[in-house]
Amino acid sequence: MATIAWIGLGHMGGPMSGNLVAAGHEVRGVDPDPACRAAAAARGVRVVDTIAEAVVDADAVFTSLPRGEHVREVLGGAGGVWATAPTTALLLDTSTVDVETSRFCHETSAERGFRFVDSPVSGGIAGATAGTLTFMLGGEDDAVAEAASLVEPMAGHVFMVGGPTMGIAAKLANNLMLFVSLLGLAEGSQLAAELGLDAETFFRVASVSSGDSWPLRTWYPAPGVVATSPANRNFDATFTTVLAEKDLSFALAAGEQAGLHLPAAGIALDQFERLIAEGYGGKDCSLIVKYASADGRVEGFDPDA
């Protein structure tokens, strides 16, 4: 069994690190939020105060952080991973960051004598809790092979997708597809409702027809149709609009650099930005359904609640 340091014990990192504990690994975790620290401790993670304490004699160091700037600071800041961890430790970043940040992490880790694997995940909080996440691993072959073994207790699927930054490339392309699909779900569900179709009946039709998609099966934007839908809980977030805007902006930036034309993704990004401007950045990204409705109101959402 391995000694693992885990930096970032939030909605994803907390249950993921707990699954490593359940598999028999020793996990030391760091997070500034008291509630996250307490939840991780309840899962068996040994919570410590500093990165330096977490990485002592660690075989691997995982990061699970909100944005690229946080990853850069945790790795490269004073008292950070590069300054305090043994160079024998494998570094794995499960965060969704921009391609340039991922490349910086690979190149600077190598310069400092570390092996680094970009290790983003898909499957959300439910997948993190259940240990059924999809991992997309990018890096040098030996490091990726070691990473694949380490992540098994957290994973339903593990893909070794190529060299450095290929994991984050797969994640950004996947999330672009997710959010474009979500846009179609928002519009199709509202058209069905406006034409008089019962929401549950239409869901059953679409889920076995060409309109099927992951967001349809997971986030159908009407209450009482899908148990996991945020519409059952006033669109409280399973995946916040702020995070969706971040991921999609990274994907579009990569597409722009490649000279691609991605108009559908641009429309989805515009709608996420509108939600944030209206003060709904903390609500679920599926709330973009309100822009497809006739009057901006949708069943299951009370803006005053």
Side-chain angles (χ1 to χ4, degrees), residues 125-148:
I125 297 169
T129 302
T132 58
L133 293 168
T134 295
F135 277 80
M136 294 153 266
L137 306 178
E140 301 300 331
D141 289 348
D142 60 338
V144 167
E146 185 177 338

Side-chain angles (χ1 to χ4, degrees), residues 18 21 35-47:
V21 173
C36 293
R37 290 165 61 89
R43 294 183 171 99
V45 176
R46 179 185 163 199
V47 178

Side-chain angles (χ1 to χ4, degrees), residues 190 278 280 287 289-299 301 303:
Q190 293 307 291
E278 291 177 28
Y280 299 129
L287 186 56
V289 67
K290 80 188 200 74
Y291 298 125
S293 72
D295 57 6
R297 293 183 294 179
V298 290
E299 188 180 2
F301 180 58

Side-chain angles (χ1 to χ4, degrees), residues 126-257:
T129 302
T132 58
L133 293 168
T134 295
F135 277 80
M136 294 153 266
L137 306 178
E140 301 300 331
D141 289 348
D142 60 338
V144 167
E146 185 177 338
S149 176
L150 280 170
V151 304
E152 280 184 3
M154 303 177 284
H157 304 279
V158 179
F159 293 98
M160 296 179 278
V161 295
T165 75
M166 290 300 97
I168 203 65
K171 177 63 188 290
L172 294 179
N174 177 79
N175 276 24
L176 183 148
M177 294 167 68
L178 164 66
F179 297 132
V180 171
S181 296
L182 177 60
L183 189 66
L185 168 63
E187 296 183 2
S189 66
Q190 293 307 291
L191 178 61
E194 191 65 24
L195 295 178
L197 282 161
D198 171 73
E200 186 171 357
T201 299
F202 177 67
F203 167 80
R204 292 202 308 269
V205 170
S207 65
V208 294
S209 301
S210 54
D212 187 29
S213 67
W214 189 92
L216 180 135
R217 286 177 270 112
T218 309
W219 290 340
Y220 195 89
V225 177
V226 175
T228 53
S229 173
N232 299 323
R233 299 173 299 279
N234 201 38
F235 287 85
D236 287 342
T238 61
F239 196 101
T240 68
T241 297
V242 166
L243 287 179
E245 186 274 338
K246 178 202 73 169
D247 289 6
L248 192 51
S249 66
F250 290 162
L252 279 167
E256 181 177 358
Q257 187 171 6

